[in-house]
Amino acid sequence: MLGRLIALLATGEAAGLKQRVKSAAIAYGIIAVATFLALAFLLLAAYLAAATRWGAIAAALWFGTGFLVLAAIAFAIYRLIANAQRRARRRQRVDTGLVAGASAITLLPTVLGKKTGRIGLLLVLAGIAGFAAYREVTRSTGKGSRATE
């Protein structure tokens, strides 16, 4: 997409693109307003039909209760999705840590097998110590990846 935008800029068609985007935004805005008004009038018609059949107070109570139930269902669905995404992020972090650990262990004989094995060992130990210090700092301050959950 970025390549296409650069190509449009290079050929001088950016003004046409800007005009098309502007007209599409205006059209979608008009469509959104018209749809909102149509839904509002349909809801008003349903309320008036219920009010003439059961009375205004009963209709208002039923419509209010219905919208509260709808809001509760939407909130419950949102919480289920948010919890599933949180579990997926946690599982991905664990998987990433396992892959990093396996890669480090796999490369350890290669690093230690060279003539500079002691330097490699020191680098590995320094990396482990740095990671432990990082985990301790993020755990004690509450910052880092845990703060985004």
Side-chain angles (χ1 to χ4, degrees):
M1 172 133 176
L2 184 60
R4 182 176 173 168
L5 182 61
I6 291 172
L8 288 174
L9 288 173
T11 59
E13 295 182 20
L17 176 68
K18 180 181 175 185
Q19 184 62 32
R20 287 194 305 265
V21 168
K22 185 178 178 182
S23 63
I26 290 171
Y28 284 130
I30 291 171
I31 291 169
V33 168
T35 303
F36 175 74
L37 289 174
L39 289 174
F41 276 104
L42 287 172
L43 186 63
L44 178 64
Y47 172 75
L48 290 175
T52 57
R53 184 171 181 150
W54 295 298
I57 294 175
L61 287 173
W62 280 107
F63 269 72
T65 304
F67 283 121
L68 280 176
V69 168
L70 182 65
I73 290 171
F75 180 72
I77 290 172
Y78 166 74
R79 292 298 299 171
L80 287 173
I81 291 172
N83 287 339
Q85 289 174 344
R86 189 177 304 121
R87 282 192 304 270
R89 280 194 308 268
R90 191 174 298 136
R91 189 171 41 249
Q92 183 181 11
R93 267 197 315 258
V94 168
D95 291 346
T96 303
L98 290 175
V99 168
S103 297
I105 289 173
T106 303
L107 291 175
L108 193 59
T110 305
V111 171
L112 295 178
K114 295 182 179 180
K115 291 182 180 178
T116 58
R118 291 181 183 170
I119 294 174
L121 181 62
L122 288 176
L123 285 175
V124 170
L125 292 175
I128 292 171
F131 182 72
Y134 167 76
R135 293 292 289 185
E136 184 61 34
V137 167
T138 57
R139 189 176 299 130
S140 64
T141 61
K143 293 184 179 178
S145 63
R146 293 182 185 190
T148 60
E149 293 183 17

Short mmCIF file of all heavy atoms in Angstrom, two decimals, residues 21-33:
data_model
loop_
_atom_site.label_atom_id
_atom_site.label_comp_id
_atom_site.label_asym_id
_atom_site.label_seq_id
_atom_site.Cartn_x
_atom_site.Cartn_y
_atom_site.Cartn_z
N VAL A 21 -10.54 10.19 -1.95
CA VAL A 21 -10.66 9.89 -0.52
C VAL A 21 -11.61 10.88 0.14
O VAL A 21 -12.45 10.49 0.97
CB VAL A 21 -9.27 9.91 0.15
CG1 VAL A 21 -9.38 9.90 1.65
CG2 VAL A 21 -8.43 8.74 -0.34
N LYS A 22 -11.51 12.14 -0.22
CA LYS A 22 -12.38 13.16 0.36
C LYS A 22 -13.84 12.90 -0.01
O LYS A 22 -14.73 12.95 0.86
CB LYS A 22 -11.95 14.53 -0.13
CG LYS A 22 -12.69 15.68 0.48
CD LYS A 22 -12.14 17.00 -0.03
CE LYS A 22 -12.89 18.17 0.53
NZ LYS A 22 -12.38 19.44 0.00
N SER A 23 -14.11 12.59 -1.27
CA SER A 23 -15.50 12.34 -1.68
C SER A 23 -16.03 11.05 -1.04
O SER A 23 -17.20 10.98 -0.67
CB SER A 23 -15.60 12.28 -3.20
OG SER A 23 -14.85 11.20 -3.71
N ALA A 24 -15.18 10.03 -0.90
CA ALA A 24 -15.61 8.80 -0.24
C ALA A 24 -15.93 9.06 1.23
O ALA A 24 -16.91 8.53 1.75
CB ALA A 24 -14.54 7.73 -0.38
N ALA A 25 -15.12 9.87 1.90
CA ALA A 25 -15.37 10.18 3.31
C ALA A 25 -16.68 10.94 3.47
O ALA A 25 -17.46 10.66 4.39
CB ALA A 25 -14.21 11.00 3.88
N ILE A 26 -16.95 11.87 2.59
CA ILE A 26 -18.21 12.62 2.65
C ILE A 26 -19.39 11.68 2.40
O ILE A 26 -20.40 11.73 3.12
CB ILE A 26 -18.19 13.78 1.64
CG1 ILE A 26 -17.19 14.85 2.10
CG2 ILE A 26 -19.58 14.40 1.48
CD1 ILE A 26 -16.92 15.94 1.08
N ALA A 27 -19.27 10.82 1.40
CA ALA A 27 -20.35 9.89 1.08
C ALA A 27 -20.61 8.94 2.25
O ALA A 27 -21.77 8.72 2.63
CB ALA A 27 -20.03 9.10 -0.18
N TYR A 28 -19.56 8.38 2.83
CA TYR A 28 -19.74 7.48 3.97
C TYR A 28 -20.30 8.21 5.19
O TYR A 28 -21.06 7.65 5.97
CB TYR A 28 -18.44 6.77 4.33
CG TYR A 28 -18.10 5.65 3.38
CD1 TYR A 28 -16.83 5.57 2.80
CD2 TYR A 28 -19.03 4.68 3.05
CE1 TYR A 28 -16.52 4.55 1.92
CE2 TYR A 28 -18.73 3.66 2.17
CZ TYR A 28 -17.46 3.59 1.61
OH TYR A 28 -17.17 2.59 0.75
N GLY A 29 -19.93 9.46 5.38
CA GLY A 29 -20.50 10.25 6.47
C GLY A 29 -21.99 10.45 6.28
O GLY A 29 -22.78 10.31 7.23
N ILE A 30 -22.42 10.79 5.06
CA ILE A 30 -23.84 10.97 4.78
C ILE A 30 -24.59 9.65 4.97
O ILE A 30 -25.68 9.62 5.56
CB ILE A 30 -24.04 11.52 3.35
CG1 ILE A 30 -23.52 12.97 3.28
CG2 ILE A 30 -25.50 11.46 2.93
CD1 ILE A 30 -23.46 13.54 1.89
N ILE A 31 -23.99 8.55 4.52
CA ILE A 31 -24.61 7.24 4.69
C ILE A 31 -24.75 6.90 6.17
O ILE A 31 -25.79 6.38 6.60
CB ILE A 31 -23.80 6.16 3.94
CG1 ILE A 31 -23.92 6.36 2.43
CG2 ILE A 31 -24.22 4.75 4.34
CD1 ILE A 31 -22.95 5.53 1.62
N ALA A 32 -23.73 7.19 6.97
CA ALA A 32 -23.78 6.90 8.41
C ALA A 32 -24.87 7.71 9.09
O ALA A 32 -25.63 7.18 9.92
CB ALA A 32 -22.43 7.17 9.05
N VAL A 33 -24.98 8.99 8.77
CA VAL A 33 -26.01 9.84 9.39
C VAL A 33 -27.40 9.36 8.99
O VAL A 33 -28.31 9.25 9.81
CB VAL A 33 -25.79 11.33 9.02
CG1 VAL A 33 -26.99 12.18 9.40
CG2 VAL A 33 -24.53 11.85 9.67
#
